[in-house]
Amino acid sequence: MTSHDAPGTAIVTGASSGIGWEYATRLAARGWGLVLVARRAERLDVLAEEALNKGAAAVEALVADLGSPDDLAHVVERASGADVDLMVNNAGINGYGPFAEVDPALLTRVVNVNVVALTALTRPPCRACWRGAGAR
Ligand SMILES: NC(=O)c1ccc[n+]([C@@H]2O[C@H](COP(=O)([O-])OP(=O)(O)OC[C@H]3O[C@@H](n4cnc5c(N)ncnc54)[C@H](OP(=O)(O)O)[C@@H]3O)[C@@H](O)[C@H]2O)c1
């Protein structure tokens, strides 16, 4: 974005901490509208208030587990909205340990969040394709 572009609406996944939180507050300070996605609703509420104070045009909290096919379909649908101009595809699980020692159930969640959700959200118009998708 250049300084001449009018800000629009951005979706930030994994907004409840770390890099996603930082993206959200910086976009807010530039006047963007925000759709904040993560599982921790209370963190999103705190962020929403901070973002509005910094100048966000509007803020919407979308509480979702991107490892859940139903929640993912909901977020993909929101990301397909005509008002969405920017996707910060940031949510992810990290620090889960050496690959050979990871619990298979955790590895499944890692793949669903870090790969399946990321891919689905990169291609939002195909929203129906992703219902029921994911490693099991
Ligand atoms: N920090 C680094 O040095 C580094 C390096 C390389 C890559 N990355 C990647 O950059 C991204 C952000 O990193 P970070 O350090 O800011 O991580 P972080 O502080 O752990 O934040 C991860 C974010 O992802 C969200 N998230 C995790 N699982 C989720 C799920 N199932 N559904 C929805 N949201 C989920 C978390 O929100 P909830 O817990 O509220 O759901 C949180 O907001 C990650 O994808 C990470 O893998 C980071």
Side-chain angles (χ1 to χ4, degrees), residues 13-21 37-41 43-44 64-68 89-95 109 113-114:
T13 69
S16 63
S17 65
I19 296 168
W21 183 291
V37 180
R39 292 167 299 177
R40 288 173 289 176
R43 298 270 305 166
L44 294 185
D65 179 351
L66 293 173
S68 147
N89 219 345
N90 162 80
I93 303 170
N94 58 31
R109 282 206 302 282
V113 175
N114 292 14

Side-chain angles (χ1 to χ4, degrees), residues 20 29 31 33 37-38 47 49-50 52 54 61 63 71 73 82 85-86 90 97 99 114 117 121:
V37 180
L47 175 58
E49 191 175 339
E50 184 176 327
L52 287 170
K54 283 186 180 289
V63 177
D71 283 10
D85 304 290
L86 176 67
N90 162 80
F99 178 71
N114 292 14
L121 288 167

Side-chain angles (χ1 to χ4, degrees), residues 1-6:
M1 184 178 96
T2 74
S3 58
H4 301 295
D5 292 327

Side-chain angles (χ1 to χ4, degrees), residues 66 72 108 110-122 130 133-135:
L66 293 173
L72 174 58
T108 298
V110 170
V111 170
N112 284 340
V113 175
N114 292 14
V115 180
V116 175
L118 182 133
T119 306
L121 288 167
T122 304
W130 301 100

Side-chain angles (χ1 to χ4, degrees), residues 10-14 19-20 23 27 86-91:
I11 295 194
V12 183
T13 69
I19 296 168
Y23 261 102
L27 288 166
L86 176 67
M87 162 63 67
V88 182
N89 219 345
N90 162 80

